[in-house]
Coordinates of all heavy atoms in Angstrom, one line a residue:
F499 N 32.2 -12.2 -51.5 CA 31.9 -10.8 -51.1 C 32.9 -10.3 -50.1 O 33.5 -9.2 -50.2 CB 30.5 -10.6 -50.5 CG 30.2 -9.3 -50.0 CD1 29.9 -8.2 -50.9 CD2 30.2 -9.0 -48.7 CE1 29.7 -6.9 -50.4 CE2 30.0 -7.7 -48.2 CZ 29.7 -6.7 -49.1
A511 N 40.5 -9.7 -55.9 CA 39.7 -10.8 -55.3 C 39.6 -12.0 -56.2 O 39.6 -13.1 -55.8 CB 38.3 -10.2 -55.0
R514 N 42.7 -14.0 -56.0 CA 42.7 -14.8 -54.7 C 41.8 -15.9 -54.7 O 42.1 -17.0 -54.1 CB 42.4 -13.8 -53.6 CG 42.4 -14.4 -52.2 CD 42.2 -13.3 -51.2 NE 41.6 -13.8 -49.9 CZ 41.3 -13.0 -48.9 NH1 41.5 -11.7 -49.0 NH2 40.7 -13.5 -47.8
L529 N 24.2 -10.8 -55.7 CA 23.9 -10.5 -54.3 C 23.2 -9.2 -54.1 O 22.2 -9.1 -53.3 CB 25.3 -10.4 -53.6 CG 26.0 -11.7 -53.1 CD1 27.3 -11.4 -52.5 CD2 25.1 -12.5 -52.2
L555 N 29.2 -7.4 -44.5 CA 30.6 -7.9 -44.3 C 30.7 -8.4 -42.8 O 31.3 -9.5 -42.6 CB 31.5 -6.7 -44.5 CG 33.0 -7.0 -44.2 CD1 33.6 -8.0 -45.2 CD2 33.8 -5.7 -44.2
A563 N 33.3 -17.7 -40.1 CA 34.1 -18.2 -39.0 C 33.5 -19.5 -38.4 O 34.2 -20.5 -38.1 CB 34.3 -17.2 -37.9
T610 N 45.7 -48.3 -34.0 CA 44.5 -48.0 -33.3 C 44.8 -47.5 -31.9 O 45.5 -48.2 -31.1 CB 43.5 -49.2 -33.2 OG1 43.1 -49.5 -34.6 CG2 42.3 -48.9 -32.4
A614 N 39.1 -44.8 -23.2 CA 38.2 -45.5 -22.3 C 37.5 -44.4 -21.4 O 38.2 -43.5 -21.0 CB 38.8 -46.5 -21.5
Q628 N 24.4 -42.1 -30.2 CA 24.8 -40.8 -30.8 C 26.2 -40.9 -31.5 O 26.6 -39.9 -32.1 CB 25.0 -39.8 -29.6 CG 23.6 -39.4 -29.0 CD 23.8 -38.5 -27.9 OE1 24.9 -38.1 -27.4 NE2 22.6 -38.0 -27.4
L631 N 30.6 -43.5 -29.0 CA 31.3 -44.7 -28.6 C 31.3 -45.7 -29.7 O 30.3 -45.8 -30.4 CB 30.7 -45.3 -27.3 CG 30.9 -44.6 -26.0 CD1 30.1 -45.4 -24.9 CD2 32.3 -44.3 -25.6
V650 N 30.1 -61.2 -22.4 CA 31.5 -61.4 -22.2 C 31.9 -61.9 -20.9 O 33.0 -62.4 -20.7 CB 32.3 -60.2 -22.6 CG1 32.1 -59.9 -24.1 CG2 31.9 -59.0 -21.8
A660 N 31.0 -56.2 7.4 CA 32.0 -56.0 8.5 C 32.4 -57.4 9.0 O 31.6 -58.4 9.1 CB 31.3 -55.3 9.7
E662 N 33.2 -58.7 11.9 CA 32.5 -59.2 13.1 C 31.1 -59.7 12.7 O 30.7 -60.8 13.2 CB 32.4 -58.1 14.2 CG 33.8 -57.7 14.8 CD 33.6 -56.7 15.9 OE1 32.5 -56.4 16.2 OE2 34.7 -56.3 16.4
G690 N 21.2 -45.6 -13.6 CA 22.4 -46.0 -14.3 C 22.3 -47.3 -15.0 O 22.9 -47.5 -16.1
L745 N 41.1 -54.8 1.0 CA 40.1 -54.7 2.1 C 40.8 -54.4 3.4 O 41.8 -55.0 3.7 CB 39.3 -56.0 2.2 CG 38.5 -56.5 1.0 CD1 37.8 -57.8 1.3 CD2 37.4 -55.4 0.7
V749 N 36.7 -55.3 7.2 CA 35.7 -55.7 6.2 C 36.2 -57.0 5.6 O 37.4 -57.2 5.4 CB 35.6 -54.6 5.1 CG1 34.7 -55.1 4.0 CG2 35.1 -53.3 5.7
H796 N 28.0 -51.8 -9.9 CA 27.3 -50.8 -10.7 C 28.0 -50.8 -12.1 O 29.2 -50.7 -12.1 CB 27.4 -49.5 -10.0 CG 26.8 -48.4 -10.9 ND1 25.7 -48.5 -11.6 CD2 27.2 -47.1 -11.2 CE1 25.4 -47.4 -12.3 NE2 26.3 -46.6 -12.0

Side-chain angles (χ1 to χ4, degrees):
F499 176 76
R514 178 173 156 187
L529 280 179
L555 176 67
T610 295
Q628 293 178 353
L631 289 178
V650 295
E662 292 183 1
L745 296 179
V749 176
H796 177 41

